[in-house]
């Protein structure tokens, strides 16, 4: 979740009931800081910022879907993403919507849907990244595309996408850890029992480099993500 201060900057000129919005958000953010991702948090966020709003913001719908994906509730994530299927979105909202759609449909095993969606949107995704000079450094985009290839059982293509040349940013590099964790999942999904132990070791070694964590629960969360990936859960 973004911090309360980040939400203030983003929403101040966009939300009529700004004060009430921030107060509700801050309560959920404090819960997130203390407990991490949970179904209770997902349900509360979705109910507060989507279900009970006449015109929920597109970014709140995407964030609700992302929260559900974090706890592997892909059906709920898909439910919220479907709300935006025929909506006209701004470029920022559309980009993050596209990444969530790719990850969610891939996790659900609907490789054809993921492939068709990528075909329809890949030009937009790449143009968006290129305009922001982020095409060489957006780990989320490469992971989303790799997962789509993985769902279609094109494992070699998926691994090539992960090896796009990301340059580590120091000890506490969450993006690098995401790449290693996704690699674990690809080995597990492809049934490569010889490569899987090495991938797990690489991810665990990356995590051991961390000397600080944003929240007390984060280390255990990352450990669980690696374990889940080794069991074919992403």
């Amino acid at each position: 979740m973004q911090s309360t201060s980040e939400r203030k900057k983003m929403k101040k000129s966009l939300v009529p009931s700004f004060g009430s919005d921030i107060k509700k958000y801050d309560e959920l953010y404090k819960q997130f800081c203390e407990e991490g991702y949970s179904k209770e948090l997902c349900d509360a966020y979705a109910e507060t910022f989507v279900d009970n709003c006449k015109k929920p913001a597109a970014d709140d719908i995407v964030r609700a879907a992302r929260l559900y994906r974090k706890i592997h509730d892909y059906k709920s994530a898909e439910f919220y993403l479907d709300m935006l299927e025929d909506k006209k979105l701004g470029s920022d909202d559309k980009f993050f919507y596209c990444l969530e759609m790719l990850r969610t449909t891939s996790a659900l095993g609907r490789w054809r849907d993921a492939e068709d969606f990528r075909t329809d949107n890949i030009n937009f995704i790449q143009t968006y990244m290129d305009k922001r000079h982020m095409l060489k450094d957006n780990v989320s985009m490469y992971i989303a595309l790799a997962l789509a290839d993985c769902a279609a059982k094109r494992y070699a293509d998926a691994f090539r996408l992960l090896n796009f040349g990301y340059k580590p940013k120091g000890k506490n590099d969450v993006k690098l850890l995401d790449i290693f964790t996704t690699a674990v999942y690809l080995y597990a999904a492809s049934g490569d029992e010889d490569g899987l132990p090495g991938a797990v070791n690489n991810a665990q070694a990356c995590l051991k480099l961390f000397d600080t964590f944003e929240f007390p629960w984060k280390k255990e969360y990352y450990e669980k993500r690696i374990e889940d990936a080794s069991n074919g859960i992403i």
Side-chain angles (χ1 to χ4, degrees), residues 61-207:
I61 295 173
V62 172
R63 290 177 193 281
R66 184 181 299 122
L67 285 173
Y68 278 112
R69 175 175 60 77
K70 291 285 189 179
I71 63 167
H72 310 308
D73 186 349
Y74 307 116
K75 287 291 186 182
S76 293
E78 182 183 38
F79 171 81
Y80 285 100
L81 291 172
D82 283 347
M83 293 181 179
L84 299 173
E85 184 176 7
D86 299 318
K87 300 292 185 180
K88 186 176 181 179
L89 303 175
S91 58
D92 291 344
D93 289 334
K94 183 176 179 180
F95 176 73
F96 292 109
Y97 162 73
C98 285
L99 296 194
E100 286 304 314
M101 278 295 295
L102 283 170
R103 295 188 67 141
T104 299
T105 52
S106 298
L108 286 166
R110 297 217 311 271
W111 68 271
R112 175 55 65 187
D113 290 339
E115 285 288 287
D116 290 345
F117 186 86
R118 177 165 67 177
T119 299
D120 292 341
N121 292 281
I122 190 63
N123 287 338
F124 162 77
I125 292 171
Q126 291 180 331
T127 300
Y128 175 94
M129 295 304 304
D130 198 30
K131 284 182 177 179
R132 285 154 180 77
H133 307 289
M134 297 168 62
L135 193 56
K136 294 182 179 180
D137 202 32
N138 192 278
V139 172
S140 296
M141 180 189 72
Y142 286 101
I143 286 177
L145 295 174
L147 292 176
D149 276 335
C150 181
K153 298 185 179 181
R154 293 201 304 270
Y155 303 116
D157 291 337
F159 278 114
R160 273 194 291 271
L161 281 165
L162 280 190
N163 294 320
F164 65 92
Y166 177 75
K167 295 180 180 179
K169 304 296 191 295
K171 288 184 176 181
N172 305 301
D173 192 341
V174 174
K175 291 182 179 181
L176 182 63
L177 183 59
D178 284 343
I179 292 173
F180 280 127
T181 303
T182 304
V184 171
Y185 172 76
L186 294 184
Y187 277 107
S190 65
D192 188 341
E193 296 181 1
D194 293 331
L196 181 58
V200 171
N201 288 338
N202 287 338
Q204 291 174 338
C206 181
L207 180 55

Side-chain angles (χ1 to χ4, degrees), residues 208-225:
K208 287 178 181 178
L209 292 176
F210 281 59
D211 56 15
T212 183
F213 294 93
E214 187 178 6
F215 305 111
W217 50 267
K218 269 290 178 82
K219 182 179 180 181
E220 185 176 345
Y221 167 74
Y222 290 136
E223 290 172 342
K224 184 65 164 58
R225 279 196 64 207

